[in-house]
Amino acid sequence: MTAVESEPRRAVATAARPRRRVRRQHGDNLAGYLFLIPWLIGVVVFVAGPTLASLYLSFTNFNLLSAPRWVGLQNYIQLFTVDPRYLHSIVVTVIYVVFSVPLSLIAALVLALLLNAKIKGVGIYRSIYYVPSLLGGSVAIAILWRQIFDSNGIFSKLLQLFGLPATSWISSPGLAIWTLIFLHIWQFGSPMVIFLAGLKQIPAELYEAASTEGASKWRQLRSITLPLLTPIVFFNLILTLINSFQAFTPAYVVSSGTGGPLDSTLFYTLYLYINGFTNFRMGYASAQGWVLLIVVGVFTAIAFITSRYWVYYEDSEKR
Amino acid sequence: MSQQSAFARARRDLTITRRGLMTSAVGTAGALLLAACSSGGSDGGSSAKVTSGPVKLTTAKLAISWWGADDRTTKTLAALKLYTQKHPQITFQPSYGGIVGYQDKMVTQFSGGNGPDLMQVSDRLPFIANDQLLDLDPYIKAGRIDLSGANQATLDSQRVGGKLYTIPWGLSANCFFYNKALFQQAGVAEPKNGWTWDDYADTLEKLSDGLPDGVYPSEDIWAPAGTTAWQPFQLYLFSKGIKPYKSGGKELNFGKAELSEWLSFWQGLLKKGYLPPASDTAEENAIQTSPFVKRTAALYPINSSIATSLQGLMKDELGVVTLPTGYQSKQNLPAKEFGEYINAPIIIGANAKTQYPDDVVDVINFLITNPDANKITLMSRGVPLTQAITKLVTPLVTPIERAMTQMIDYVQAHATKNTQAFPDTDGQIGTLMQNTSQSVAFGKQSVSAAVSDFFSQAQTILASGS
């Protein structure tokens, strides 16, 4: 009896529940969008608007003070045909990216593996190792870097202990870029945290199974940890790659805004800044900005295309 | 503890999908784009009829900007306070800071239509070329700015298209500062104003014998916080009777011979060990980090307006002399005349769009010519423009500032009339010259290779100018 009676009521209840959920979801969405509004306004006014404006400006001659004058593709043509400093800035940036990206990822991964160990007070270690990336992008650290690597700096003193001559790493054209690469590697904190989170996600059963089968730690790393970590490696790769292409502050501070000595630290973005705000060629600088956007886009696309051959996703096991 | 839970949360949220990655990557890439703002059209400074005689000042709050060390800022603020005491209806909204990024800030403010009413600038050309500065000539003619007792050649060097938009706010020139203690230690006579490049080379040789190891006679001419390479070379060209540019700034007016001679001279001094190795020179990013201040060089090529700050950094007493000249130089860089002039890198100008031109002009007149104001500001921007004020403040200043005054007197008395207004690409040519000098100093290029690179790159830069 009761079962029969209750039947329609349950039917009503089940029919009504989804509808209520849908309405609540819409309400949630609305609230979500409301919360997003400040951010959206920021994006439209301070990112999308200027971005579009810079696209227009990249086809003009614009010195900031007088109205922009349309010149068509001239800025883009000039960049690649008659500006040796521009081509040089690309070489400097590529060297920086090629070395700093893999090296900083390796550093982050190695530290993440070490800090994944179950030891006492590991949380404190993790916090300590994260500190450099909180400081690393700042002007203060770039100034400190100058001190460490100049001819009277700690680093030079250290080399002297081993009988090497005192050199100023900051002011030698062949060496200055390496101090900046090293600065980038030192900021391993945020990829390290992401690697750590990824390591925690790998099921412990896999390792248990592997050890019972007699696999060594090294074999476990190669056959379990690394393959399962590839999505995280990929994510970190994309972030670090974009980040490195955009590097500006350390080069600006270390070279006092000149890209010196002898343009050896003339990063792409630094040359862009010099053109825009020192030479007052804002149209030319905008063209540089757009070329960079395209280049970063291409590199990111390459990373995505190659990823299907080396990134292993748990949700797509069929491949 | 909270650390643990944060990691746990991150772990839960970290289910990475292809699409999620794609969106975040695209978003990040988009954020790097250059922000730029467009400017409205400018009307240009209208030169309305300016009456002479006393003017009724409007009540106003004037925005004024300058750069400089603390000393200059304190003194300027005190002078402005004095002005407000005399004219209570006028107050100020001062804005000041270091020189790094100052010019960028000014251009950006003018670009947005928010330029200050009056300001200290170092390079007036981008503003003048775009009608942003008030033409001061009518006010000078009406006697509202009293420039009697100012050196006419110095004022004329400020004119662009025959008009005076800016006034030197303190006179300065390229010069060499020297460390008297090191000269004494080496037993070498101190240099005198008007010395030649031959004298310079001799002095370096003698200093080299008398100074201990690790202390070099002079800093290199391209010292990054000093005059840098381009300005002294331009003065050398002037002394040879050659203007640096022709065809309205579209072409260089000198040949490979002049540049080779100049670079070879400096390369020779470097090879003899009279100048610090290139990497020591490159390490300088401010006067504080210069070999001169670190006491590893006895001479420093830099602009004289730095006198007070430079002396403030050092215990040794300093001296100052003109940049050496090729005039009457026989072996090194011979030339026809003295070549140097007052380059006035610290000048004052007013916004053409100011609502209060009368007030602004009165403030300029006060800062430049009022005895009480100048007794406060002294030589914090170099030697005062007019002779009367200079005479008035000279007893109140430090020995190095007195030496600077003598040096400026010498330059004004012998200044070349052969100067030239520079094109807007002059700054880029300066950077190129700096790189060329470094390239030779670091031994990356021979003089002849560096010279031919200079000429081909300069051509490109000048062609891109407006």
Side-chain angles (χ1 to χ4, degrees):
Chain A
M1 272 291 280
T2 43
V4 174
E5 260 188 23
S6 66
E7 206 52 48
R9 220 180 289 156
R10 206 185 293 158
V12 168
T14 42
R17 209 179 296 142
R19 217 183 303 143
R20 211 182 305 138
R21 198 184 294 149
V22 166
R23 199 175 306 134
R24 200 190 303 136
Q25 249 174 19
H26 275 298
D28 284 353
N29 283 351
L30 185 66
Y33 285 123
L34 277 174
F35 278 116
L36 271 179
I37 280 180
W39 178 83
L40 271 175
I41 291 174
V43 165
V44 170
V45 174
F46 296 113
V47 178
T51 302
L52 288 176
S54 84
L55 179 61
Y56 164 69
L57 288 176
S58 73
F59 296 105
T60 66
N61 213 336
F62 179 46
N63 70 358
L64 277 172
L65 289 174
S66 55
R69 187 166 49 82
W70 184 266
V71 293
L73 285 171
Q74 192 195 304
N75 288 332
Y76 291 92
I77 293 167
Q78 238 180 43
L79 278 177
F80 290 102
T81 54
V82 292
D83 191 346
R85 264 192 116 192
Y86 174 70
L87 300 179
H88 178 75
S89 79
I90 293 179
V91 172
V92 171
T93 310
V94 167
I95 291 174
Y96 178 74
V97 170
V98 162
F99 286 97
S100 71
V101 172
L103 290 177
S104 70
L105 286 182
I106 290 169
L109 181 58
V110 168
L111 278 152
L113 287 168
L114 290 176
L115 293 179
N116 195 29
K118 290 187 182 63
I119 46 170
K120 221 177 169 190
V122 75
I124 295 166
Y125 288 118
R126 284 171 189 164
S127 311
I128 290 172
Y129 278 94
Y130 188 70
V131 167
S133 52
L134 293 175
L135 301 172
S138 73
V139 171
I141 289 299
I143 290 172
L144 175 72
W145 228 244
R146 271 195 79 95
Q147 304 284 333
I148 291 176
F149 287 100
D150 81 5
S151 55
N152 291 314
I154 299 172
F155 192 71
S156 183
K157 292 260 151 60
L158 191 74
L159 292 183
Q160 276 169 277
L161 286 182
F162 296 98
L164 293 159
T167 5
S168 170
W169 282 62
I170 287 295
S171 63
S172 307
L175 301 175
I177 181 88
W178 292 99
T179 65
L180 297 181
I181 291 172
F182 185 52
L183 177 59
H184 186 109
I185 297 169
W186 187 61
Q187 298 164 51
F188 49 74
S190 48
M192 178 192 80
V193 168
I194 298 171
F195 275 134
L196 256 176
L199 288 171
K200 297 271 176 202
Q201 215 184 12
I202 298 172
E205 308 92 80
L206 294 178
Y207 292 110
E208 280 159 20
S211 357
T212 40
E213 300 279 332
S216 67
K217 286 277 173 202
W218 174 245
R219 183 66 205 259
Q220 287 178 24
L221 175 71
R222 252 184 35 199
S223 304
I224 302 174
T225 314
L226 289 183
L228 287 178
L229 211 55
T230 47
I232 315 289
V233 173
F234 181 49
F235 178 75
N236 273 334
L237 172 72
I238 299 286
L239 285 189
T240 319
L241 191 70
I242 293 172
N243 200 350
S244 310
F245 270 111
Q246 293 179 68
F248 174 79
T249 316
Y252 181 84
V253 177
V254 164
S255 72
S256 317
T258 62
L262 259 184
D263 283 351
S264 60
T265 58
L266 188 71
F267 282 177
Y268 194 100
T269 48
L270 182 55
Y271 188 47
L272 187 156
Y273 175 85
I274 289 173
N275 270 321
F277 291 97
T278 309
N279 302 338
F280 302 119
R281 302 177 69 195
M282 199 49 85
Y284 196 64
S286 300
Q288 260 178 279
W290 276 88
V291 173
L292 179 59
L293 176 71
I294 292 164
V295 168
V296 172
V298 167
F299 272 89
T300 311
I302 291 172
F304 270 99
I305 292 165
T306 58
S307 72
R308 71 174 69 235
Y309 301 108
W310 61 272
V311 176
Y312 172 80
Y313 288 97
E314 275 183 284
D315 57 355
S316 55
E317 264 167 292
K318 267 169 236 154
R319 269 185 301 114
Chain B
M1 235 171 60
S2 63
Q3 188 75 20
Q4 280 299 27
S5 63
F7 276 96
R9 225 179 301 128
R11 185 174 139 195
R12 244 180 288 124
D13 294 342
L14 207 84
T15 325
I16 291 187
T17 62
R18 220 165 258 269
R19 176 176 307 210
L21 262 181
M22 188 81 82
T23 8
S24 64
V26 169
T28 321
L32 64 83
L33 273 167
L34 176 77
C37 37
S38 67
S39 74
S42 55
D43 323 324
S46 60
S47 28
K49 279 273 181 313
V50 175
T51 53
S52 52
V55 187
K56 199 167 173 288
L57 297 173
T58 332
T59 301
K61 185 166 197 175
L62 302 175
I64 176 170
S65 298
W66 68 87
W67 80 85
D70 290 348
D71 169 68
R72 180 185 295 164
T73 292
T74 319
K75 287 173 174 167
T76 310
L77 288 172
L80 294 176
K81 199 174 157 195
L82 179 67
Y83 185 85
T84 303
Q85 273 168 18
K86 294 189 175 188
H87 309 277
Q89 71 272 42
I90 294 174
T91 51
F92 295 95
Q93 187 192 328
S95 142
Y96 43 84
I99 190 171
V100 176
Y102 178 85
Q103 183 94 354
D104 318 359
K105 192 173 80 181
M106 282 300 111
V107 169
T108 313
Q109 285 183 359
F110 271 91
S111 163
N114 307 315
D117 295 291
L118 67 166
M119 61 183 181
Q120 171 183 329
V121 277
S122 62
D123 181 6
R124 62 203 185 282
L125 294 173
F127 301 101
I128 294 172
N130 296 287
D131 299 322
Q132 303 283 345
L133 293 186
L134 190 66
D135 177 8
L136 299 175
D137 265 333
Y139 299 95
I140 294 165
K141 284 196 189 97
R144 304 252 300 269
I145 300 177
D146 179 15
L147 295 183
S148 50
N151 183 289
Q152 208 52 45
T154 303
L155 276 182
D156 285 345
S157 72
Q158 288 289 306
R159 290 187 181 276
V160 176
K163 287 183 178 178
L164 197 66
Y165 295 92
T166 52
I167 296 173
W169 196 359
L171 303 176
S172 56
N174 281 190
C175 65
F176 266 97
F177 282 90
Y178 59 92
N179 186 322
K180 292 195 174 192
L182 289 177
F183 267 74
Q184 230 157 40
Q185 189 185 339
V188 178
E190 291 176 18
K192 292 193 173 64
N193 288 320
W195 63 331
T196 66
W197 287 117
D198 282 351
D199 298 337
Y200 176 73
D202 283 351
T203 307
L204 261 51
E205 193 181 343
K206 286 180 198 149
L207 282 170
S208 174
D209 293 339
L211 289 172
D213 275 357
V215 181
Y216 298 89
S218 174
E219 284 212 40
D220 211 331
I221 198 68
W222 55 271
T227 58
T228 65
W230 182 228
Q231 280 193 26
F233 178 64
Q234 282 177 316
L235 297 184
Y236 167 63
L237 289 175
F238 287 138
S239 74
K240 285 184 106 71
I242 299 169
K243 292 186 182 184
Y245 298 104
K246 64 179 174 188
S247 323
K250 285 287 184 190
E251 276 176 275
L252 293 176
N253 189 37
F254 58 94
K256 292 187 175 172
E258 286 84 30
L259 185 56
S260 298
E261 192 182 10
W262 176 263
L263 291 174
S264 304
F265 174 67
W266 291 101
Q267 188 187 39
L269 297 175
L270 183 64
K271 278 185 176 161
K272 285 182 188 146
Y274 298 167
L275 312 173
S279 67
D280 285 15
T281 307
E283 208 169 274
E284 164 181 329
N285 70 332
I287 52 172
Q288 286 83 347
T289 52
S290 65
F292 186 73
V293 171
K294 288 195 251 177
R295 233 175 163 270
T296 54
L299 282 149
Y300 189 15
I302 191 167
N303 208 65
S304 65
S305 55
I306 204 82
T308 317
S309 315
L310 194 62
Q311 180 68 77
L313 288 171
M314 300 187 70
K315 285 200 184 101
D316 300 335
E317 196 186 329
L318 303 185
V320 59
V321 280
T322 52
L323 202 74
T325 170
Y327 183 58
Q328 294 187 330
S329 198
K330 292 193 176 64
Q331 275 148 24
N332 300 294
L333 309 172
K336 293 199 292 197
E337 59 164 318
F338 177 61
E340 202 169 354
Y341 66 105
I342 301 291
N343 61 0
I346 302 182
I347 52 189
I348 188 166
N351 191 336
K353 288 182 196 137
T354 178
Q355 284 177 276
Y356 317 102
D358 288 333
D359 297 9
V360 163
V361 164
D362 198 61
V363 173
I364 292 179
N365 189 46
F366 177 80
L367 291 171
I368 303 277
T369 67
N370 184 285
D372 293 335
N374 280 278
K375 274 187 198 163
I376 295 172
T377 51
L378 297 175
M379 297 199 177
S380 55
R381 284 185 176 78
V383 178
L385 179 66
T386 69
Q387 277 169 351
I389 296 290
T390 307
K391 206 173 273 175
L392 179 77
V393 303
T394 303
L396 306 172
V397 299
T398 59
I400 189 64
E401 288 167 328
R402 272 199 284 280
M404 169 176 78
T405 310
Q406 283 166 14
M407 192 273 297
I408 292 293
D409 278 350
Y410 187 94
V411 173
Q412 293 210 91
H414 297 81
T416 179
K417 289 197 172 60
N418 192 30
T419 59
Q420 172 180 46
F422 301 128
D424 56 4
T425 42
D426 186 64
Q428 291 176 68
I429 298 292
T431 308
L432 176 61
M433 179 70 183
Q434 190 71 357
N435 277 343
T436 305
S437 303
Q438 284 188 44
S439 185
V440 173
F442 274 108
K444 296 264 168 195
Q445 273 184 312
S446 68
V447 168
S448 63
V451 167
S452 53
D453 270 14
F454 177 91
F455 275 83
S456 68
Q457 292 184 31
Q459 204 175 3
T460 310
I461 292 171
L462 293 175
S464 75
S466 52

